[in-house]
Amino acid sequence: MRVASVTENEIKITIEAAFDFANHLLDGDLDARALLTGVGFSGAAEASAASLERATARIGDLLDLFRGLADEETGVEEVSGRLNEELAPLPIHPAIVDHGGVGPHLHWTPERSRFDDKVIADMLMSIAQEVCDNGTARFGLCAADDCDHFFYDATRNGSRRFCSDPRCASRTHTADHRARKRESDGKK
């Protein structure tokens, strides 16, 4: 049995947080402080309103990148170029830290960095690590017809098709079942 490292779990949690942030932003129901605090971003509870507003605007600017990650037509080279463009202006200076009882892990930005720089750097570096390790195969857009949410597929077999809203999978499966039933009833 393979056990995931702190870093692998942190990458997964951070990518999922980035996509949850984007999805709530798209839906217009984002509470940035609550979301970032809930997933364990250090300093989220104390972050200034201005820093949270900047983080929100910057995630909004990354929506096209997220769509590119989820688009099977977009290649790793194109995504990598866009990630590099987004990473270049960030104050990235990695350091190994050990706090909060999670064990040694990486912080990508200095402690004195603005909170929004920390959030964006963590999210982009986690996405970049996943792209380097596995390409873009694990990034997706919800398969439900009326949903444009992003997701990160952390399943073992890479079979995830829907976002975290259980209604999307339920509606789609129900519609597929009804279509099959109509088709089989029509053949009798």
Side-chain angles (χ1 to χ4, degrees):
M1 180 172 123
R2 183 176 182 286
V3 177
S5 72
V6 170
T7 303
E8 289 172 305
N9 285 331
E10 191 173 8
I11 288 169
K12 175 187 174 288
I13 290 166
T14 305
I15 293 171
E16 288 174 345
F19 287 169
D20 285 347
F21 198 112
N23 291 337
H24 284 287
L25 181 60
L26 288 168
D27 289 345
D29 65 355
L30 176 66
D31 181 343
R33 187 180 310 281
L35 189 146
L36 295 171
T37 301
V39 296
F41 268 90
S42 300
E46 304 83 28
S48 70
S51 197
L52 291 168
E53 288 172 15
R54 285 191 304 269
T56 300
R58 291 170 80 178
I59 292 292
D61 292 341
L62 295 174
L63 293 177
D64 284 340
L65 170 64
F66 292 174
R67 286 184 189 96
L69 288 166
D71 183 354
E72 293 175 3
E73 301 297 317
T74 306
V76 171
E77 190 173 310
E78 184 178 338
V79 167
S80 298
R82 179 72 195 279
L83 279 166
N84 287 336
E85 288 173 14
E86 295 295 339
L87 288 167
L90 292 171
I92 296 177
H93 304 282
I96 300 170
V97 297
D98 189 356
H99 64 87
V102 298
H105 60 282
L106 288 171
H107 277 199
W108 294 107
T109 55
E111 187 58 37
R112 67 186 179 282
S113 296
R114 292 184 338 189
F115 178 72
D116 53 299
D117 283 338
K118 293 177 183 182
V119 169
I120 299 302
D122 281 357
M123 290 178 175
L124 289 175
M125 288 301 296
S126 293
I127 291 168
Q129 187 63 55
E130 176 62 22
V131 169
C132 289
D133 290 349
N134 300 303
T136 59
R138 297 267 177 187
F139 300 106
L141 280 174
C142 186
D145 289 335
D146 57 345
C147 183
D148 58 356
H149 283 183
F150 306 102
F151 66 83
Y152 172 65
D153 184 356
T155 63
R156 286 183 187 215
N157 63 0
S159 62
R160 185 170 175 183
R161 295 180 34 222
F162 300 98
C163 69
S164 59
D165 185 342
R167 296 173 297 181
C168 290
S170 179
R171 280 193 313 268
T172 302
H173 293 309
T174 299
D176 290 349
H177 170 75
R178 288 180 178 155
R180 286 190 305 274
K181 181 142 176 60
R182 276 192 305 273
E183 185 177 308
S184 69
D185 288 348
K187 290 181 180 179
K188 291 181 182 179

